[in-house]
Amino acid sequence: MEFKHVSVLYDECIDGLKIKSGGIYVDGTLGGGGHASGICNLLDSKGTLIGIDKDRDALNAAEKRLQEFDCRKQFVQDNYSNIEEVLDRLGVSGIDGALLDLGVSSFQLDNFERGFSYMQQAPLDMRMNAEDSLTAEEVVNSYTGAELTEVIRKYGEEKWAARISDFIVKYRKNKRIENTTELVDIIKAAIPAAARRDGPHPAKRTFQAIRIEVNDELGHLERAVEAFCNVLNPGGRLCIITFHSLEDRIVKEYFNQRLNPCTCPKEFPICNCGKVTDVVKVTGKPIVSTKQELESNPRARSAKLRIIEKKR
């Protein structure tokens, strides 16, 4: 299957990075190389793109797509949260900008064998890195009812979490849950008909929750936001695209913490801790997709872009 992905907020990201032709830039979620191609297009032969992705198929597709550009390119199969270790291995001391697009790629959603979609029957996988051990099937069949409820409620923000987990536990007493269709049918049975008439697909939140659990997405994001801020050169920018409130909250809160690092009690008249910010705010409210983009790419409707810059 060809690796396809429509890059959301493309122009906004490329503009937001303020790319220097000879700089070093990281696309930490390389995917098929859509955003990366925009970065490479503005780099000269002295500029460098470092592309990171957990998915080997993504790296292969991006390397092929980006071969036409003159800039230096380095492709790394790893998790973006390991950026400090990646740069250390490459002998790079700092970067001039970075992009994280946290959305699941169209390739992963549309390739039914990966098990990300609730619209087609497929094995319960959901791993972004096929070499990882934990799968959605393992989560669904081995987690306790309480653990499933916590995952679905916390990561899916699903109000029917307890009822869904109860139906999962009862079903698997007679048969192991092996594919996405089985899981969708269980979820539909668990959610009352009246609650299924409005809103998104009834399985959307539960599938999101299990995918986040399988890939430890929020844990990696929490570690990555700090790590990427640390490795930015003066004037370097970090652009992060989120797709749901859990991700956006992590990014927003860390940016605010980095902008206001003082730990002194609020009643103190002056700061005694001595902690001062090393970043400046680029975006206040997040940047969202235009009407034109949404018409051509409905998957962009929940995308939010936040940008921060290292002080010069």
Side-chain angles (χ1 to χ4, degrees):
M1 183 175 179
E2 184 181 354
F3 200 108
K4 295 181 179 179
H5 180 61
V6 180
S7 300
V8 303
L9 296 166
Y10 176 89
D11 291 332
E12 293 84 350
C13 287
I14 302 306
D15 291 343
L17 283 170
K18 297 293 182 185
I19 295 170
K20 300 184 297 184
S21 61
I24 301 174
Y25 293 85
V26 173
D27 187 335
T29 48
L30 186 60
H35 286 113
S37 64
I39 296 172
C40 288
N41 189 51
L42 295 176
L43 295 176
D44 59 27
S45 59
K46 295 181 180 179
T48 300
L49 171 82
I50 299 171
I52 302 172
D53 206 290
K54 294 187 295 182
D55 193 324
R56 172 48 60 185
D57 290 336
L59 288 169
N60 292 339
E63 187 168 359
K64 182 178 179 180
R65 178 174 184 172
L66 300 175
Q67 63 185 2
E68 64 182 274
F69 297 101
D70 293 333
C71 65
R72 301 165 183 164
K73 296 173 286 287
Q74 294 178 297
F75 301 97
V76 182
Q77 185 176 11
D78 207 328
N79 193 294
Y80 64 82
S81 63
N82 297 324
I83 182 61
E84 291 172 307
E85 292 86 347
V86 168
L87 294 182
D88 185 59
R89 293 200 302 268
L90 297 176
V92 176
S93 59
I95 60 175
D96 298 301
L99 168 68
L100 299 176
D101 175 357
L102 303 179
V104 180
S105 74
S106 300
F107 172 82
Q108 291 168 330
L109 287 172
D110 296 339
N111 184 350
F112 72 92
E113 295 179 355
R114 304 294 290 271
F116 287 103
S117 176
Y118 42 77
M119 302 302 291
Q120 302 178 76
Q121 181 169 312
L124 276 170
D125 194 321
M126 300 194 195
R127 291 174 296 175
M128 292 183 178
N129 181 354
E131 297 176 7
D132 289 342
S133 57
L134 184 63
T135 65
E137 182 178 345
E138 184 69 18
V139 170
V140 168
N141 288 285
S142 67
Y143 279 31
T144 66
E147 289 170 336
L148 282 171
T149 299
E150 174 69 10
V151 167
I152 298 169
R153 179 180 290 132
K154 182 178 180 181
Y155 296 152
E157 299 180 299
E158 171 61 77
K159 72 174 184 177
W160 300 104
R163 186 172 168 87
I164 291 169
S165 64
D166 185 49
F167 273 57
I168 288 173
V169 170
K170 288 180 180 177
Y171 184 96
R172 73 191 192 194
K173 286 181 180 178
N174 299 312
K175 181 185 180 301
R176 185 175 179 86
I177 304 168
E178 297 177 338
N179 63 62
T180 54
T181 301
E182 283 182 285
L183 182 57
V184 168
D185 289 343
I186 294 168
I187 296 168
K188 286 182 175 178
I191 299 177
R196 286 190 268 117
R197 293 194 187 104
D198 300 316
H201 190 286
K204 180 179 180 179
R205 294 187 180 93
T206 299
F207 268 61
Q208 171 185 295
I210 295 172
R211 189 200 79 221
I212 290 173
E213 174 69 11
V214 167
N215 296 287
D216 188 23
E217 293 179 30
L218 299 187
H220 285 299
L221 177 58
E222 288 175 347
R223 295 187 288 275
V225 183
E226 179 176 11
F228 270 91
C229 284
N230 289 341
V231 299
L232 286 175
N233 290 328
R237 288 188 170 189
L238 172 61
C239 298
I240 303 181
I241 305 173
T242 62
F243 284 84
H244 55 76
S245 60
L246 299 173
E247 293 174 337
D248 187 58
R249 189 178 305 128
I250 289 171
V251 176
K252 178 183 178 180
E253 290 180 355
Y254 182 77
F255 278 9
N256 286 336
Q257 176 188 329
R258 192 92 180 200
L259 286 160
N260 303 283
C262 176
T263 57
C264 296
K266 292 182 179 180
E267 60 270 18
F268 276 26
I270 60 172
C271 173
N272 288 321
C273 71
K275 294 182 179 180
V276 294
T277 184
D278 61 348
V279 296
V280 293
K281 182 188 294 185
V282 177
T283 55
K285 290 184 177 180
I287 298 170
V288 297
S289 299
T290 63
K291 181 180 179 181
Q292 290 77 10
E293 179 173 16
L294 293 177
E295 288 174 351
S296 62
N297 183 18
R299 286 177 177 170
R301 64 186 177 275
S302 57
K304 293 181 178 180
L305 169 63
R306 294 184 185 273
I307 307 173
I308 202 165
E309 180 181 303
K310 199 72 167 283
K311 276 189 173 181
R312 296 177 185 275

